[in-house]
Amino acid sequence: MEFLKTLGIEAHQAGCATGSAWNDTTGESIEVTSPADGAKIGTVRQAAESEYETVLKTAREAFLHWRSLPAPHRGEIIRQIGLRVRDYKEPLGSLIAYEMGKPLEEALGEVQEMIDICDFAAGLSRMLSGSTLYSERPRHRFYEQYHPLGIVGIITAFNFPVAVWAWNAVIAAVCGDVTVWKPSSKAPLSAIAAQKILGPVLKENDLPEGIFSLLVGRGSVIGEAMLQDPRISLISFTGSVPAGRHAAEVVARRLGKTLLELGGNNAIIVTEHANLELAVPAIVFGAVGTSGQRCTTTRRLIIHDAIYDRIKEALQKAYQTVRIGSPLDPRNHMGPLVDREAAAAFTRALDACRQQGGRVLFGGTGLTGKGYESGCYVSPAIMEVLNDTPIVQEETFAPILYLIRYAGELSEAIALHNGVRQGLSSAIFTDNVQEAEVFLSQEGSDCGIANVNIGTSGAEIGGAFGGEKETGGGREAGSDAWKTYMRRQTVTINYGTELPLAQGIRFDI
Ligand code: NAD
């Protein structure tokens, strides 16, 4: 395929790089197939322990150089990387779509996020700041400053195979850190393509190897080595709650830092004052976008009794118009799930839901026939359930939308909304300002993201991104999320000729 050639992806691709240099790998090879048509795209030779060691040593040396560059110089490199990503937006978007199945339009949006975060990071490199405080002691200067952490390990999920890395890596880079990236083995080629785009920029600027490294490898081998390695100051982990819990426990044992971006169970409240012209398309995009495989996917809909039947009918009608097919065909709204196992998990969740009292209102079957030969395509499901149904409490990473009814006050809807273990994204549709403000208040949504009259997915990079409760509490991307990638230092300078002690303590000697 032309885009593979443009991106320099080889049929037998090494999965380990330290910048522009690609290392030989000794781990087992994985075959990468497309969920779009089941065709083999290529093989990747994964990294093993010995390559891991080389990468870590190279990264450590690179850090000693990179941290000494002024932050705006580092920002200039990121600016150039952003420009280079612009040149490859179409082919990289096509590869993402073909490798993991999201529609081309959404894949291009993902590449745009990489570009946007590079622009943000370039500006941020001139705005990293500390704070000056007034000392209680005369002739003393008192301030806080931030220094780079060192090596940041980035472990990413399959569903945003390049954007999540960029959110972390380019912010960490302007902060003066070097990064080691372990992408998901379900979408390694997109990661390899991103590395191939940035590598030449590093070389053109005569930078040493080790500033941005890539290690494609098994979670249980490379991922585990990263979690346990005290040379890695921060592990940014994006993935499911069970894997993230494990990562947090292992890193905590060595008292390392983690930034956790784990699963969501996102809901939209639709009140009787909602504008349905806005609500219905937002719900459909939130529920079927990326085939329900976004961490911010709309999974639960909490609808006021007065409009429940209208919404139900409108959604059933809208779902009939969702075009499902090849992610590379721009006319399609929804592509396949990432693999056959994900399609099987979709079916298992729906079986469980039915057994637990749920009722199918739409879809919920695997698709077969022409265009669907890969076995990864499904018809998105709408289910009618109660919020405390066990399967509703879990994040099934598939297009299943649960309809839940509330009859009384908004507080009842908010209790249902918050009545899950996860806390990533949330939304309310209402034209009533009191309802909107209560939802956003301390009595309202308990999530890291709260929206009014827009859906749960599709965050902008300028704000800090992340969630509460089992979602892990981490924040990445914009705003002041950069502070996670730096260590804080409180400084006191005495420029006087006396030695006064804090709290007025006297110590005469
Ligand atoms: P996953 O948990 O299966 O894998 C995530 C990453 O962890 C992969 O790179 C995997 O190889 C690695 N891993 C697995 N075991 C490991 C181990 N023992 N040590 C170290 N690394 C290990 O998740 P997935 O199926 O790729 O992605 C889907 C999940 O990610 C969903 O739960 C989704 O909500 C979540 N997600 C969250 C966010 C967010 O920002 N909150 C963003 C994207 C995805």
Side-chain angles (χ1 to χ4, degrees):
M1 286 178 143
E2 197 54 36
F3 56 80
L4 294 174
K5 224 192 288 159
T6 312
L7 294 164
I9 301 291
E10 295 154 18
H12 302 285
Q13 185 61 60
C16 174
T18 48
S20 58
W22 289 80
N23 300 358
D24 270 346
T25 39
T26 56
E28 62 185 302
S29 288
I30 44 171
E31 197 165 280
V32 185
T33 54
S34 168
D37 56 10
K40 178 175 164 182
I41 316 177
T43 54
V44 177
R45 295 191 307 279
Q46 297 192 103
E49 280 97 339
S50 58
E51 292 88 68
Y52 175 80
E53 215 30 58
T54 309
V55 164
L56 261 284
K57 283 194 185 119
T58 314
R60 179 65 204 167
E61 277 166 34
F63 173 60
L64 303 181
H65 173 75
W66 185 244
R67 71 177 177 184
S68 65
L69 295 183
H73 290 201
R74 299 192 292 253
E76 166 57 19
I77 304 301
I78 302 305
R79 190 186 70 81
Q80 292 177 32
I81 291 173
L83 292 176
R84 202 59 60 91
V85 176
R86 282 174 168 85
D87 295 340
Y88 288 94
K89 183 172 174 181
E90 289 283 334
L92 183 56
S94 301
L95 174 57
I96 294 167
Y98 192 55
E99 186 179 36
M100 60 68 65
K102 69 172 69 169
L104 181 60
E105 189 62 21
E106 291 186 50
L108 292 171
E110 171 160 3
V111 182
Q112 188 58 45
E113 280 190 44
M114 294 174 81
I115 295 167
D116 293 344
I117 197 76
C118 286
D119 288 356
F120 179 93
L124 174 69
S125 70
R126 290 181 182 273
M127 288 157 43
L128 298 169
S129 60
S131 53
T132 303
L133 308 150
Y134 278 99
S135 170
E136 66 189 48
R137 290 171 278 186
R139 299 215 152 189
H140 277 58
R141 191 154 78 83
F142 190 32
Y143 69 97
E144 288 181 344
Q145 61 179 352
Y146 289 85
H147 290 312
L149 276 178
I151 303 176
V152 173
I154 305 172
I155 299 177
T156 54
F158 77 84
N159 64 328
F160 275 88
V162 291
V164 169
W165 162 77
W167 289 2
N168 284 276
V170 305
I171 300 292
V174 296
C175 291
D177 300 318
V178 299
T179 52
V180 175
W181 178 18
K182 193 209 88 59
S184 165
S185 295
K186 291 183 185 171
L189 293 175
S190 300
I192 287 169
Q195 183 77 25
K196 290 200 171 203
I197 291 170
L198 71 85
V201 177
L202 303 173
K203 200 163 184 177
E204 288 154 24
N205 285 278
D206 289 326
L207 288 164
E209 291 292 311
I211 297 167
F212 293 99
S213 299
L214 172 72
L215 278 163
V216 179
R218 293 171 66 96
S220 57
V221 178
I222 298 299
E224 202 64 38
M226 291 170 72
L227 301 183
Q228 292 183 8
D229 196 333
R231 292 170 294 181
I232 300 187
S233 309
L234 168 70
I235 291 281
S236 172
F237 184 94
T238 301
S240 57
V241 169
R245 194 189 304 280
H246 170 73
E249 284 170 1
V250 175
V251 179
R253 223 172 290 140
R254 62 172 172 90
L255 300 180
K257 279 178 88 177
T258 46
L259 189 174
L260 300 174
E261 295 283 353
L262 311 180
N265 193 349
N266 318 296
I268 297 180
I269 296 176
V270 190
T271 81
E272 58 193 314
H273 304 115
N275 175 344
L276 299 195
E277 307 253 308
L278 296 183
V280 172
I283 294 163
V284 179
F285 177 70
V288 310
T290 318
S291 303
Q293 299 169 119
R294 285 187 180 216
C295 51
T296 52
T297 290
T298 306
R299 308 205 178 276
R300 297 175 299 134
L301 211 54
I302 299 161
I303 312 165
H304 194 277
D305 205 29
I307 51 161
Y308 186 90
D309 289 337
R310 269 172 66 203
I311 296 260
K312 188 165 105 175
E313 278 158 33
L315 285 174
Q316 284 167 318
K317 215 162 135 198
Y319 266 51
Q320 279 164 14
T321 66
V322 173
R323 282 189 301 275
I324 304 165
S326 168
L328 291 175
D329 181 342
R331 289 168 304 178
N332 291 329
H333 301 109
M334 189 179 131
L337 285 161
V338 68
D339 54 22
R340 284 178 177 216
E341 171 43 35
F346 168 80
T347 305
R348 279 199 302 275
L350 290 173
D351 287 346
C353 188
R354 273 188 288 261
Q355 277 164 19
Q356 293 164 10
R359 205 161 69 84
V360 186
L361 296 179
F362 188 91
T365 52
L367 296 176
T368 51
K370 196 164 159 37
Y372 301 136
E373 291 86 351
S374 70
C376 303
Y377 290 89
V378 299
S379 153
I382 307 178
M383 304 292 292
E384 204 163 35
V385 281
L386 296 175
N387 193 56
D388 56 7
T389 308
I391 194 72
V392 176
Q393 294 283 313
E394 284 175 30
E395 179 201 47
T396 303
F397 219 47
I400 304 173
L401 181 64
Y402 298 116
L403 266 47
I404 299 154
R405 196 190 282 261
Y406 79 100
E409 299 297 310
L410 181 61
S411 55
E412 183 194 334
I414 291 173
L416 289 167
H417 176 279
N418 293 349
V420 291
R421 295 187 305 276
Q422 310 84 348
L424 181 52
S425 187
S426 62
I428 189 169
F429 276 82
T430 179
D431 282 348
N432 177 311
V433 72
Q434 287 167 345
E435 288 180 335
E437 289 290 345
V438 168
F439 180 74
L440 298 175
S441 76
Q442 62 274 33
E443 298 161 32
S445 161
D446 62 2
C447 292
I449 297 166
N451 296 332
V452 175
N453 292 338
I454 59 167
T456 56
S457 63
E460 297 179 26
I461 60 97
F465 182 91
E468 301 300 322
K469 305 193 305 193
E470 284 193 356
T471 303
R475 292 295 185 277
E476 60 194 14
S479 184
D480 67 351
W482 61 269
K483 289 181 178 168
T484 310
Y485 304 87
M486 302 197 85
R487 62 185 168 87
R488 184 195 295 231
Q489 190 169 64
T490 304
V491 179
T492 314
I493 301 166
N494 178 1
Y495 60 95
T497 53
E498 309 279 316
L499 192 69
L501 299 178
Q503 294 87 45
I505 291 173
R506 297 192 55 170
F507 184 76
D508 298 325
I509 197 164

